[in-house]
């Protein structure tokens, strides 16, 4: 029974993820998700009492996917710079594919539902962990000089790289729409250049 329940929950999350990734939170209804699955709305509400909680669960699922894929890419890298590049490339690829799911993570909306407020900081904290792991590996192999407060250093690097998105979209006068392919590529290019300057400064 538990396995069957888990299977249904996974099916709901996968169907909801497709809807939210394509249409976003506001333009998706629970009735549409139930119809996609050939489930009753009552069954959908049994697993998720409202749309915000379902969206929060989809965000958690997508964050797990992002972090899992970027960890695999990082572990294949041979140098610190290769690891940072892999982190940035994988991250941007997943965000590009699921932009409407991650949109709340990048907004400063005053009306953000409490369910989403609880989820959005998770991605940032776990990404700091990934960047810190990259720096720790660099110190352990001697590629980087010892770093006094490696957690703060990882946080500074991540904030610096992520902050480019807002600046670039301002440059393109595109603050309210999903970035174009060219804008995503430009964001990645500048993030990689910034990370190289930063990493070069940490070398012994």
């Amino acid at each position: 029974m538990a396995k069957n329940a888990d299977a249904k929950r996974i099916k709901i999350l996968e169907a909801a993820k497709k809807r939210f990734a394509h249409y976003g939170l506001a333009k998706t209804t629970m009735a549409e998700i139930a119809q996609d699955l050939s489930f009753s709305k009552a069954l959908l509400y049994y697993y998720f009492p409202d749309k915000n909680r379902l969206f929060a669960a989809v965000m958690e699922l997508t964050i797990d996917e992002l972090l899992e894929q970027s960890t695999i890419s990082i572990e294949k890298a041979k140098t610190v710079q290769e690891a940072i590049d892999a982190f940035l490339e994988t991250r941007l690829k997943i965000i590009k594919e699921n932009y409407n799911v991650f949109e709340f993570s990048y907004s400063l909306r005053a009306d953000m539902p409490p369910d989403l407020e609880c989820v959005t900081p998770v991605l940032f904290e776990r990404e700091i962990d990934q960047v810190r792991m990259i720096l720790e590996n660099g110190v352990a192999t001697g590629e980087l000089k010892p770093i006094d407060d490696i957690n703060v250093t990882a946080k500074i690097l991540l904030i610096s790289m992520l902050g480019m998105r807002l600046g670039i979209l301002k440059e393109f006068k595109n603050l309210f729409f999903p970035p174009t392919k060219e804008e995503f590529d430009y964001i990645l290019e500048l993030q990689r250049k910034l990370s190289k300057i930063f990493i070069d400064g940490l070398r012994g």
Side-chain angles (χ1 to χ4, degrees), residues 7-98:
K8 283 183 179 175
R9 188 177 190 277
I10 290 167
K11 281 185 178 180
I12 292 169
L13 288 173
E14 288 173 348
K17 184 171 177 283
K18 287 180 184 176
R19 277 273 172 188
F20 288 136
H22 190 74
Y23 298 104
L25 176 62
K27 294 181 180 178
T28 297
T29 68
M30 294 289 270
E32 289 167 338
I33 295 168
Q35 187 175 12
D36 290 343
L37 290 159
S38 299
F39 284 1
S40 67
K41 282 173 64 177
L43 180 61
L44 197 60
Y45 281 111
Y46 172 78
Y47 285 94
F48 298 97
D50 56 58
K51 187 171 70 167
N52 285 342
R53 287 197 216 179
L54 176 54
F55 188 81
V58 167
M59 278 190 72
E60 289 175 341
L61 177 72
T62 314
I63 287 169
D64 286 343
E65 179 187 344
L66 186 158
L67 294 166
E68 181 181 339
Q69 290 194 25
S70 59
T71 298
I72 291 169
S73 299
I74 289 167
E75 288 173 349
K76 291 178 181 176
K78 294 182 174 62
T79 68
V80 171
Q81 190 61 54
E82 282 182 15
I84 289 288
D85 287 348
F87 166 79
L88 291 170
E89 288 165 12
T90 306
R91 184 182 182 282
L92 213 59
K93 173 180 173 289
I94 300 293
I95 289 174
K96 192 189 299 186
E97 292 170 356
N98 301 277

Side-chain angles (χ1 to χ4, degrees), residues 82-142:
E82 282 182 15
I84 289 288
D85 287 348
F87 166 79
L88 291 170
E89 288 165 12
T90 306
R91 184 182 182 282
L92 213 59
K93 173 180 173 289
I94 300 293
I95 289 174
K96 192 189 299 186
E97 292 170 356
N98 301 277
Y99 186 81
N100 286 323
V101 175
F102 285 106
E103 184 260 340
F104 273 92
S105 298
Y106 301 112
S107 68
L108 298 174
R109 300 168 58 134
D111 62 341
M112 184 178 290
D115 293 317
L116 303 188
E117 282 183 344
C118 297
V119 177
T120 50
V122 172
L123 175 59
F124 181 66
E125 292 301 326
R126 291 175 68 183
E127 285 185 318
I128 289 175
D129 290 341
Q130 287 194 316
V131 175
R132 187 184 65 243
M133 178 182 70
I134 293 170
L135 298 181
E136 286 173 344
N137 289 343
V139 172
T141 60

Side-chain angles (χ1 to χ4, degrees), residues 91-92 95 99 102-108 158-179 183-184 186-188 190-191 194:
R91 184 182 182 282
L92 213 59
I95 289 174
Y99 186 81
F102 285 106
E103 184 260 340
F104 273 92
S105 298
Y106 301 112
S107 68
L108 298 174
L158 183 62
I159 289 172
S160 301
M161 293 188 297
L162 301 192
M164 285 191 155
R165 173 188 171 275
L166 187 58
I168 289 167
L169 294 184
K170 276 186 178 178
E171 179 183 336
F172 282 96
K173 296 182 172 58
N174 178 18
L175 289 175
F176 305 105
F177 301 98
E183 288 164 353
F184 270 120
Y186 189 40
I187 289 168
L188 178 60
L190 293 193
Q191 285 177 334
L194 172 65

